[in-house]
Amino acid sequence: MRGMNVEKIAVVGASGYSGEELIRLLLRHPAAELVAVTSRQWVGQTLDTVYPKFAGMRYAKLAFIESEISAIVHSGARVVFLALPHGVATEYARPLVAAGLKVIDLSADFRIKDPAVYEEFYGEAPNAPELAASSVYGMPEIYRDKIAAAQLVASPGCYPTSIILPLYPLLKKKLLKPETIVVSSVSGVSGAGRTAKVDYLYVECNESVRSYSVPKHRHLGEIEQELSAAYGEKVMINFTPHLMPVNRGIHSTIYASRADGVTPAEINSALEAQYGTEPFVRLLGEKGSPDTKNVTFTNFVDIGWRHDPRTGRVVLLSAEDNLVKGASGQAIQSLNIMCGLPETTGLL
Amino acid sequence: MRGMNVEKIAVVGASGYSGEELIRLLLRHPAAELVAVTSRQWVGQTLDTVYPKFAGMRYAKLAFIESEISAIVHSGARVVFLALPHGVATEYARPLVAAGLKVIDLSADFRIKDPAVYEEFYGEAPNAPELAASSVYGMPEIYRDKIAAAQLVASPGCYPTSIILPLYPLLKKKLLKPETIVVSSVSGVSGAGRTAKVDYLYVECNESVRSYSVPKHRHLGEIEQELSAAYGEKVMINFTPHLMPVNRGIHSTIYASRADGVTPAEINSALEAQYGTEPFVRLLGEKGSPDTKNVTFTNFVDIGWRHDPRTGRVVLLSAEDNLVKGASGQAIQSLNIMCGLPETTGLL
Amino acid sequence: MRGMNVEKIAVVGASGYSGEELIRLLLRHPAAELVAVTSRQWVGQTLDTVYPKFAGMRYAKLAFIESEISAIVHSGARVVFLALPHGVATEYARPLVAAGLKVIDLSADFRIKDPAVYEEFYGEAPNAPELAASSVYGMPEIYRDKIAAAQLVASPGCYPTSIILPLYPLLKKKLLKPETIVVSSVSGVSGAGRTAKVDYLYVECNESVRSYSVPKHRHLGEIEQELSAAYGEKVMINFTPHLMPVNRGIHSTIYASRADGVTPAEINSALEAQYGTEPFVRLLGEKGSPDTKNVTFTNFVDIGWRHDPRTGRVVLLSAEDNLVKGASGQAIQSLNIMCGLPETTGLL
Amino acid sequence: MRGMNVEKIAVVGASGYSGEELIRLLLRHPAAELVAVTSRQWVGQTLDTVYPKFAGMRYAKLAFIESEISAIVHSGARVVFLALPHGVATEYARPLVAAGLKVIDLSADFRIKDPAVYEEFYGEAPNAPELAASSVYGMPEIYRDKIAAAQLVASPGCYPTSIILPLYPLLKKKLLKPETIVVSSVSGVSGAGRTAKVDYLYVECNESVRSYSVPKHRHLGEIEQELSAAYGEKVMINFTPHLMPVNRGIHSTIYASRADGVTPAEINSALEAQYGTEPFVRLLGEKGSPDTKNVTFTNFVDIGWRHDPRTGRVVLLSAEDNLVKGASGQAIQSLNIMCGLPETTGLL
């Protein structure tokens, strides 16, 4: 792309769905030069052998290398994406950060600032609280300036993105009563990862809807962290995730009572003020209904809302692709910001 | 079936999914003799011509007759199911009831007792408020005795069944704060009916989840009617239905704050006391998660629940087949009760 | 059921989809008394713990016992279903047969009469060629009398059922040129079994169609065995199975050239003569198109056909539920025949 | 894009799935300037009102204009895509061609060169045989040079693309016996168009597979036309399309006997010689299995093949996205060729 700097990029751990999606997006990104993909199980194999869908595209013949720090540094990468299982990112992030590289982590390892909260939700102490402390939560619509200056970005979880974005401006302006917040979300099965478990077999998920991790899903930690930051006080909510038979997509339905004296018009104004010019947030207003099929394979999050005069509640509705805005697309949005590229590069 | 009375049955209007399901269930019902199926568009055609899936089964060669009162009465039917679009049932129910037949209506026409509520949710005055007043809401777990004595049963809607059943015993015992109730439900596409609309085409529903009729779906009228009856005071809630890509199944997730001083054990006791011996309500307790795939093609409703000590809320989870327990199966449950048959006849 | 003998039944190995389906069908079978279910992994657990969908039904509280011969014999079972992985059935069938029990095996172990054919398709010598020799291929429409007298029935595979039935009468009467036969089949994912493999995860199967095991799927052995038996000479065909995103259902499309001088009317006559009175074969003629949704959850196989005057070929179309007529339903059909019950008992 | 000419484009009739897909692809095409979209039903509405998924993208605020020749010409468009129902394209193509514009038609109106063949398959005489005669069949891998010089391109049908491409080089070199060709294809439901018919409702297509238009689907006309052209003699085949529950994707399985003396190696060589350097044909060889999920949302067609020594047949396997390589992507490939752009522009 004319006049655009090209950034050398490495992807560490590309066997899961978000790693694969990261590669899919980077193959189309005009300012990304993919210099290394790493994987223990696939060393020496080319990208198109492992992922036949990438055959015939640029970098299709790039071969996986060992997931070793020296190899990654040696690749010349300036920015490294970590698409690793929960708990493994630290061993890569620490030396890569020390080596001066920029790191964007897609796991939960660095998202939670308070070690006690991490321990509450993950059942163990965080591996690297100092990295969590110095990292930036990679939600551009809220932390754009910090991301621009960050060396380590903790890219948000899929559910949190769909929940924090609609609530953020309303809590920040104290338009809602935070203790009344209740969230029901449904997610496509790719959110469960590419793991060979009977629970996620086709036959077990097709023609099925079920909740899981009620009432304390791990993502609740980062959701409440960000809602509390917005509101200025500790916020605790109910959040119920459900699995539904689609490949991609999260739909969140959020209920909260308006704070005393708040009008519906103020709700709308706050959303418009916050997101009116955001490239990836589409406000559907009081009539539109977000539909996951309108956002899958895109980096958009669609937000609609309703006011119920009978109960005084606001109902916020949001939809996103859990693998794009909920994971890899948002991570690339951070990449663009960190590298001084137009934020939408490779994402529209 | 040995010693069981055989009842002569007619089905009026069998072109929709609940009418078809009614026939599917009646074909297997050992005490049901199907003497008439009516349809304006299919007069003279046999059941297996219209529904190839019923070929080779008993009654497959029964021919549709005109939807005329005299023909229905002449068929010898003692019980008539009305599976008609909203607003049409009155013209059949009134003369059939007058003729002394028992009538089980699957539409919304007679479910709402208060004409003002009907008008609020359906946008017009009810056709037959006197029939609504004299009918019984066909939810056997709550109105079994009244159903046994009823001549006209208004069989409940699909969403209401999945929502009223979990909440009923908890509201009746005032274990919850009714003003805190919020419900998110997801339904399979058969709930939208067999109507040729672009919105319900395969491609528009597959890989899609979206809410609709927020915040005032028509079923809210009967939901609140029954919750209010249970609680003894007017109850108003938020209810958000969503469409998801499965053929059958409704999953409801219900949030409410416990009333002051109520313990989680009391929640469980109330559910057990109400439903412990019910043949079609399966209590999964505090660990089980209802999954629509466990109830589809059955008349069961599965109910689980959680207590969240962090927020004081109870989360109730329920799953049913919208066409069976949510429509035609429940209607046959009423049939069994009205005719003095074992309640599970043809349904297990 | 009045005057019907009740048969004591055991099911060995019920962790796969066909074992589960067998139980689902037996729970509704009026002449089946389930006296034992065995499983190594689930010993001591009740049926409804392992399969929540069976809660509330009869036998729901039956506990799994060890998969041991003595325990099975001791249960009093007169008929034993083996729903075991390929290669394991012999160790049960041999002693159970020796103990005088009737055995219906759902695996491939005894289907192939010729050990050389078995070895060609399964890559190893058969474990029990003498049992294969003495068993009856459990396709009632062809071997009804032999099944009635059999002690060991080798119940057919899913693809073979959908392919052999349409071709059998046409080859028997030499109406087709066997060397021109080509078959394309598509199967639902339950055909791959309840196995935790990445290939069968929801996301890998949804929005996907792919062929597999081309050109020599294992089922080809039994398909050709039966087609050869029908024709009286060795028949070799091409068969391509495909995986498609449905839970249940197989659709087979079969092409063959008419033998010289054969008229389309003769094709139809042969199908009618063979299947006109069969309870589970529905002939749709030259206009009907089998649709898997009309046969799922039933024991029917639907067969349609076309004649193409341009090319002289006949196109046969068939649809069945791979778990019912293609596996467990057909096995119960054999049970009924072996026990002198009406053949449709528990299957309509 | 640097140094790339920007072409002014109009899309006539954008209410169907291929019209929508055309717009989706053009919005990302770096050398396409969308100057007009026309639609009778949506005049005055913006693209993002009709298609919320396009909100926030370039041209989202472009308003639909009347489908009138003068308006299209006046828009400045140099190339016009016609995405109209069968039979309507002529009234636009004739005056637009006369006005000197380049036209790419996605309907079947100009694909069939022989009016008698058109009449045989479409049941009526062609509207504009002279345009059919002067148009080029828009399959770049076969007619690239002619497309470059064409003013009117008849873009191929979805099934034909998946069938002609694998067979073309093998027939051209007479490696197969054409009278033995049999094709079974399965297509996603978007192939049926965005038409409000009960047959294509979600519930009617989900958990269903069925054949249709057997044995003479309309696409057979253009398939045989191109196969005959390749072989040099009239070729007649059997072709059976099936509908399966996915949104996008066609998989074709093609059977044919090798010509006498032809070796499997020659089959492979012919495919490699024809397609080895094609940007959108990916050869998977004798081991790979095309899977629609690897090609959906791309312009690739994947081709694998097998040799069956038992029967002497070759089995060709192909997969494509029916809306991209099977329709709009291929049409844009023609656009690129006609305008002297790199052929992959906007398609990788």
Side-chain angles (χ1 to χ4, degrees):
Chain A
M1 204 170 262
R2 191 167 17 183
M4 205 178 267
N5 288 327
V6 171
E7 300 293 338
K8 292 185 196 300
I9 309 287
V11 175
V12 175
S15 63
Y17 290 126
S18 57
E20 179 185 344
E21 183 70 3
L22 206 42
I23 289 171
R24 188 182 76 85
L25 292 167
L26 289 170
L27 294 186
R28 288 175 172 82
H29 193 291
E33 182 186 348
L34 192 60
V35 295
V37 287
T38 88
S39 156
R40 276 173 191 152
Q41 60 184 124
W42 296 328
V43 172
Q45 296 189 59
T46 58
L47 212 49
D48 62 358
T49 308
V50 171
Y51 294 117
K53 71 171 58 168
F54 296 143
M57 305 189 74
R58 67 176 190 148
Y59 303 122
K61 294 302 177 189
L62 189 68
F64 282 88
I65 62 170
E66 280 285 358
S67 295
E68 280 174 8
I69 302 301
S70 62
I72 298 163
V73 171
H74 189 260
S75 74
R78 199 179 141 211
V79 186
V80 181
F81 288 95
L82 304 180
L84 295 161
H86 158 67
V88 185
T90 300
E91 54 180 291
Y92 292 90
R94 201 174 269 148
L96 290 170
V97 164
L101 278 67
K102 292 179 192 285
V103 174
I104 302 172
D105 179 43
L106 278 81
S107 83
D109 284 15
F110 312 119
R111 294 176 192 154
I112 308 285
K113 298 295 183 189
D114 182 343
V117 170
Y118 185 94
E119 197 160 347
E120 179 185 357
F121 284 94
Y122 290 87
E124 55 185 6
N127 286 324
E130 85 286 5
L131 286 179
S134 69
S135 74
V136 174
Y137 192 65
M139 197 167 272
E141 291 77 9
I142 300 181
Y143 296 110
R144 184 167 284 121
D145 292 346
K146 289 188 176 177
I147 293 167
Q151 197 190 348
L152 173 59
V153 163
S155 212
C158 51
Y159 286 119
T161 301
S162 78
I163 296 165
I164 295 166
L165 286 174
L167 283 169
Y168 175 79
L170 308 185
L171 286 177
K172 201 173 155 200
K173 295 197 174 167
K174 298 197 185 298
L175 304 180
L176 303 175
K177 296 179 183 170
E179 71 279 10
T180 65
I181 298 175
V182 156
V183 182
S184 266
S185 300
V186 283
S187 170
V189 186
S190 61
R194 186 187 271 120
T195 319
K197 289 186 184 163
V198 166
D199 278 359
Y200 305 118
L201 289 179
Y202 183 83
V203 175
E204 303 300 318
C205 295
N206 185 39
E207 295 297 293
S208 159
V209 185
R210 56 189 193 258
S211 65
Y212 62 102
S213 300
V214 187
K216 217 169 158 181
H217 186 277
R218 287 179 163 186
H219 280 177
L220 190 52
E222 71 186 271
I223 294 169
E224 291 184 351
Q225 167 180 286
E226 296 304 316
L227 299 186
S228 300
Y231 194 68
E233 293 174 33
K234 175 74 179 167
V235 172
M236 285 198 301
I237 71 166
N238 272 98
F239 161 56
T240 306
H242 303 74
L243 202 64
M244 64 168 175
V246 299
N247 279 357
R248 294 160 171 254
I250 282 183
H251 185 287
S252 289
T253 303
I254 306 166
Y255 306 83
S257 297
R258 278 173 293 140
D260 297 336
V262 169
T263 66
E266 288 174 88
I267 301 290
N268 203 52
S269 298
L271 289 166
E272 286 287 349
Q274 184 76 33
Y275 299 123
T277 60
E278 282 293 340
F280 294 119
V281 181
R282 301 190 295 199
L283 297 176
L284 309 189
E286 274 199 271
K287 296 208 170 153
S289 293
D291 184 330
T292 59
K293 74 169 175 277
N294 287 333
V295 295
T296 43
F297 295 94
T298 82
N299 197 49
F300 292 112
V301 57
D302 283 1
I303 299 175
W305 70 283
R306 302 289 186 279
H307 160 240
D308 185 358
R310 300 167 74 254
T311 64
R313 282 196 195 90
V314 165
V315 184
L316 294 156
L317 308 159
S318 74
E320 63 171 24
D321 184 325
N322 58 304
L323 293 180
V324 189
K325 184 61 178 171
S328 306
Q330 185 154 245
I332 288 175
Q333 208 180 336
S334 282
L335 168 79
N336 291 341
I337 296 169
M338 293 164 89
C339 295
L341 296 163
E343 195 168 323
T344 60
T345 309
L347 292 172
L348 275 188
Chain B
M1 203 170 266
R2 189 165 20 183
M4 204 178 269
N5 287 327
V6 171
E7 299 293 339
K8 291 184 196 300
I9 309 287
V11 175
V12 175
S15 63
Y17 289 126
S18 57
E20 178 185 345
E21 184 69 5
L22 206 43
I23 290 172
R24 188 182 76 85
L25 292 166
L26 289 171
L27 294 187
R28 289 174 172 80
H29 193 291
E33 181 186 349
L34 193 59
V35 295
V37 287
T38 87
S39 156
R40 275 174 191 151
Q41 61 184 120
W42 296 327
V43 173
Q45 295 189 60
T46 59
L47 212 48
D48 62 358
T49 307
V50 171
Y51 292 117
K53 69 171 57 169
F54 295 143
M57 305 189 73
R58 65 176 191 147
Y59 303 122
K61 295 301 177 191
L62 189 68
F64 282 88
I65 61 170
E66 279 285 359
S67 295
E68 280 174 8
I69 302 301
S70 60
I72 298 164
V73 171
H74 189 261
S75 74
R78 199 179 141 213
V79 186
V80 181
F81 288 96
L82 305 180
L84 296 161
H86 158 69
V88 184
T90 300
E91 55 180 290
Y92 292 90
R94 199 174 269 146
L96 290 170
V97 164
L101 278 68
K102 292 178 192 287
V103 175
I104 302 173
D105 178 42
L106 279 81
S107 84
D109 284 15
F110 312 118
R111 294 177 193 155
I112 308 285
K113 299 294 182 189
D114 182 342
V117 170
Y118 186 92
E119 196 160 348
E120 180 187 357
F121 283 92
Y122 290 86
E124 54 186 6
N127 287 323
E130 86 286 4
L131 286 179
S134 69
S135 74
V136 174
Y137 191 65
M139 197 168 274
E141 292 78 10
I142 301 181
Y143 297 111
R144 184 168 285 122
D145 292 346
K146 290 189 176 176
I147 293 167
Q151 196 189 351
L152 173 60
V153 162
S155 213
C158 51
Y159 286 119
T161 301
S162 78
I163 295 165
I164 295 166
L165 285 174
L167 282 170
Y168 175 78
L170 309 186
L171 286 178
K172 201 173 156 201
K173 297 197 175 167
K174 297 197 187 299
L175 303 181
L176 302 176
K177 296 180 183 167
E179 72 278 10
T180 65
I181 298 174
V182 156
V183 182
S184 265
S185 300
V186 282
S187 169
V189 187
S190 61
R194 186 187 269 118
T195 318
K197 288 186 185 164
V198 165
D199 277 358
Y200 305 117
L201 289 180
Y202 182 84
V203 175
E204 303 301 317
C205 294
N206 185 39
E207 296 297 292
S208 159
V209 185
R210 55 188 192 259
S211 65
Y212 62 101
S213 300
V214 187
K216 218 170 161 182
H217 186 277
R218 287 177 162 186
H219 279 177
L220 191 52
E222 72 185 270
I223 294 169
E224 290 184 352
Q225 168 180 287
E226 297 304 315
L227 299 186
S228 300
Y231 194 68
E233 293 174 35
K234 173 74 179 166
V235 172
M236 285 198 302
I237 71 166
N238 272 96
F239 161 56
T240 307
H242 304 75
L243 201 65
M244 65 169 173
V246 300
N247 279 357
R248 293 159 170 257
I250 281 183
H251 186 287
S252 288
T253 303
I254 306 167
Y255 306 82
S257 297
R258 279 173 291 139
D260 296 335
V262 170
T263 66
E266 289 174 89
I267 300 291
N268 203 52
S269 298
L271 289 166
E272 286 287 348
Q274 183 78 33
Y275 300 123
T277 60
E278 281 293 340
F280 293 119
V281 180
R282 300 190 296 200
L283 296 175
L284 309 189
E286 274 199 272
K287 295 207 170 154
S289 293
D291 184 330
T292 59
K293 73 169 175 279
N294 288 332
V295 295
T296 42
F297 294 96
T298 82
N299 197 48
F300 292 112
V301 57
D302 283 1
I303 299 175
W305 69 284
R306 301 290 185 279
H307 160 238
D308 185 359
R310 300 167 75 254
T311 63
R313 282 196 194 90
V314 166
V315 184
L316 294 155
L317 308 159
S318 74
E320 64 171 25
D321 185 326
N322 58 304
L323 293 179
V324 189
K325 184 62 177 170
S328 306
Q330 185 155 246
I332 288 175
Q333 208 181 335
S334 281
L335 167 79
N336 291 341
I337 295 170
M338 293 164 88
C339 296
L341 296 163
E343 193 168 324
T344 60
T345 308
L347 291 173
L348 274 187
Chain C
M1 202 169 264
R2 188 166 22 180
M4 206 178 267
N5 288 327
V6 170
E7 301 292 338
K8 290 185 196 300
I9 309 287
V11 175
V12 174
S15 63
Y17 290 126
S18 58
E20 178 185 346
E21 183 69 5
L22 207 43
I23 290 171
R24 189 182 75 84
L25 292 167
L26 289 170
L27 294 185
R28 289 175 172 81
H29 192 290
E33 181 186 350
L34 193 60
V35 295
V37 288
T38 87
S39 156
R40 276 172 192 153
Q41 62 185 120
W42 296 328
V43 173
Q45 295 189 61
T46 58
L47 212 49
D48 63 357
T49 308
V50 171
Y51 293 117
K53 70 172 57 168
F54 296 143
M57 305 190 74
R58 67 175 190 149
Y59 303 120
K61 294 301 179 191
L62 188 67
F64 283 89
I65 62 170
E66 279 286 358
S67 296
E68 281 174 7
I69 302 300
S70 61
I72 297 164
V73 171
H74 189 260
S75 74
R78 198 179 142 213
V79 186
V80 181
F81 288 96
L82 304 181
L84 296 162
H86 158 68
V88 185
T90 300
E91 55 180 290
Y92 292 90
R94 199 175 271 148
L96 290 170
V97 164
L101 279 68
K102 292 178 192 287
V103 175
I104 301 171
D105 179 42
L106 279 81
S107 84
D109 284 16
F110 312 120
R111 292 176 193 155
I112 308 284
K113 299 294 182 188
D114 182 342
V117 170
Y118 186 94
E119 197 160 347
E120 180 186 356
F121 283 94
Y122 289 87
E124 55 186 8
N127 286 324
E130 85 287 4
L131 286 179
S134 68
S135 73
V136 173
Y137 192 66
M139 196 167 274
E141 291 77 9
I142 300 181
Y143 297 110
R144 184 168 284 120
D145 292 345
K146 291 189 176 176
I147 293 168
Q151 196 189 351
L152 173 59
V153 163
S155 212
C158 50
Y159 286 119
T161 300
S162 77
I163 296 165
I164 295 166
L165 284 174
L167 281 171
Y168 175 79
L170 308 186
L171 285 178
K172 201 174 156 199
K173 296 198 175 168
K174 298 199 186 298
L175 304 181
L176 303 176
K177 296 180 184 168
E179 72 278 10
T180 64
I181 299 174
V182 156
V183 182
S184 265
S185 299
V186 283
S187 170
V189 188
S190 61
R194 187 186 270 119
T195 318
K197 289 187 185 162
V198 165
D199 278 358
Y200 305 118
L201 289 178
Y202 182 83
V203 175
E204 302 301 318
C205 295
N206 185 39
E207 296 297 292
S208 159
V209 186
R210 56 189 192 258
S211 65
Y212 63 101
S213 300
V214 187
K216 217 167 159 182
H217 186 277
R218 287 177 163 187
H219 279 178
L220 190 53
E222 72 188 90
I223 294 169
E224 290 184 350
Q225 167 180 288
E226 297 303 316
L227 299 187
S228 300
Y231 193 68
E233 292 173 35
K234 175 73 178 168
V235 172
M236 285 199 300
I237 70 165
N238 272 97
F239 162 56
T240 306
H242 304 75
L243 202 65
M244 64 169 176
V246 300
N247 279 357
R248 295 161 170 254
I250 281 183
H251 186 287
S252 289
T253 303
I254 305 167
Y255 306 83
S257 297
R258 279 174 291 140
D260 296 336
V262 170
T263 66
E266 289 174 86
I267 300 291
N268 203 51
S269 298
L271 289 165
E272 286 287 350
Q274 184 77 32
Y275 299 123
T277 60
E278 282 293 339
F280 294 119
V281 180
R282 299 191 296 200
L283 296 177
L284 310 189
E286 274 198 273
K287 295 206 171 156
S289 293
D291 184 330
T292 59
K293 73 169 176 277
N294 287 333
V295 295
T296 42
F297 294 95
T298 82
N299 198 48
F300 292 112
V301 57
D302 284 1
I303 299 175
W305 71 283
R306 300 290 185 279
H307 160 239
D308 185 357
R310 299 168 74 255
T311 63
R313 284 198 192 87
V314 165
V315 184
L316 293 156
L317 308 159
S318 75
E320 63 170 25
D321 185 326
N322 58 304
L323 293 179
V324 189
K325 183 60 177 171
S328 305
Q330 185 155 247
I332 288 175
Q333 208 181 335
S334 282
L335 168 80
N336 291 341
I337 295 170
M338 293 164 88
C339 296
L341 296 163
E343 194 169 324
T344 59
T345 309
L347 291 173
L348 274 186
Chain D
M1 202 167 265
R2 189 168 18 181
M4 207 178 265
N5 288 327
V6 170
E7 300 293 338
K8 291 186 196 298
I9 310 286
V11 175
V12 174
S15 63
Y17 289 126
S18 57
E20 178 185 346
E21 183 70 3
L22 207 43
I23 289 171
R24 189 184 74 86
L25 292 167
L26 289 170
L27 294 186
R28 289 173 171 82
H29 193 292
E33 182 186 349
L34 193 59
V35 295
V37 288
T38 86
S39 156
R40 274 171 193 154
Q41 62 183 122
W42 295 328
V43 172
Q45 295 189 60
T46 59
L47 212 48
D48 62 358
T49 307
V50 171
Y51 293 116
K53 70 172 56 167
F54 296 143
M57 304 189 74
R58 67 177 190 145
Y59 303 122
K61 295 301 178 191
L62 189 67
F64 282 89
I65 61 169
E66 280 285 1
S67 295
E68 280 174 6
I69 301 300
S70 61
I72 298 163
V73 171
H74 189 259
S75 74
R78 197 181 141 211
V79 186
V80 180
F81 288 95
L82 305 180
L84 296 161
H86 158 70
V88 185
T90 299
E91 55 181 290
Y92 291 90
R94 200 175 268 149
L96 290 170
V97 164
L101 277 68
K102 292 177 193 286
V103 174
I104 302 173
D105 178 43
L106 278 82
S107 83
D109 284 15
F110 312 118
R111 294 177 192 154
I112 309 285
K113 298 294 180 187
D114 181 343
V117 170
Y118 185 94
E119 197 160 346
E120 179 185 357
F121 284 93
Y122 290 87
E124 55 184 6
N127 287 322
E130 85 287 5
L131 286 179
S134 69
S135 75
V136 174
Y137 192 65
M139 195 167 276
E141 291 78 10
I142 300 181
Y143 297 111
R144 183 167 285 122
D145 292 345
K146 288 188 176 177
I147 293 167
Q151 197 190 349
L152 172 60
V153 163
S155 213
C158 50
Y159 286 119
T161 300
S162 77
I163 296 166
I164 295 166
L165 285 175
L167 282 170
Y168 174 78
L170 308 185
L171 287 178
K172 201 174 154 200
K173 296 197 175 168
K174 300 201 185 295
L175 303 181
L176 303 175
K177 295 181 183 166
E179 72 278 11
T180 65
I181 298 173
V182 156
V183 182
S184 266
S185 300
V186 283
S187 170
V189 187
S190 60
R194 186 186 271 119
T195 318
K197 289 188 184 162
V198 165
D199 278 357
Y200 304 117
L201 289 178
Y202 182 83
V203 176
E204 304 300 318
C205 295
N206 185 38
E207 296 296 293
S208 159
V209 185
R210 57 189 192 258
S211 66
Y212 62 101
S213 301
V214 186
K216 218 168 159 182
H217 186 277
R218 287 179 163 186
H219 279 177
L220 191 52
E222 71 187 271
I223 294 169
E224 291 185 350
Q225 167 180 290
E226 296 303 316
L227 299 187
S228 300
Y231 194 67
E233 293 173 34
K234 174 74 178 167
V235 172
M236 284 199 302
I237 70 166
N238 272 98
F239 161 56
T240 307
H242 303 75
L243 201 66
M244 64 169 176
V246 299
N247 279 357
R248 293 161 171 253
I250 281 183
H251 186 288
S252 289
T253 303
I254 306 167
Y255 305 82
S257 297
R258 278 173 292 140
D260 298 335
V262 169
T263 66
E266 289 174 88
I267 301 291
N268 204 52
S269 298
L271 289 165
E272 286 288 348
Q274 183 78 32
Y275 299 123
T277 59
E278 282 292 339
F280 294 118
V281 180
R282 300 190 297 199
L283 296 176
L284 309 189
E286 274 199 272
K287 296 205 170 157
S289 293
D291 183 330
T292 58
K293 72 171 176 279
N294 288 333
V295 295
T296 41
F297 293 95
T298 82
N299 198 49
F300 292 112
V301 58
D302 284 0
I303 300 175
W305 70 283
R306 301 291 186 277
H307 161 238
D308 185 357
R310 300 167 74 254
T311 63
R313 282 195 194 91
V314 166
V315 184
L316 294 156
L317 308 159
S318 74
E320 64 170 25
D321 185 325
N322 58 304
L323 292 179
V324 189
K325 184 62 178 170
S328 306
Q330 185 155 247
I332 288 175
Q333 207 179 336
S334 282
L335 166 79
N336 291 341
I337 295 170
M338 292 165 89
C339 296
L341 296 163
E343 193 168 325
T344 60
T345 308
L347 292 172
L348 275 187

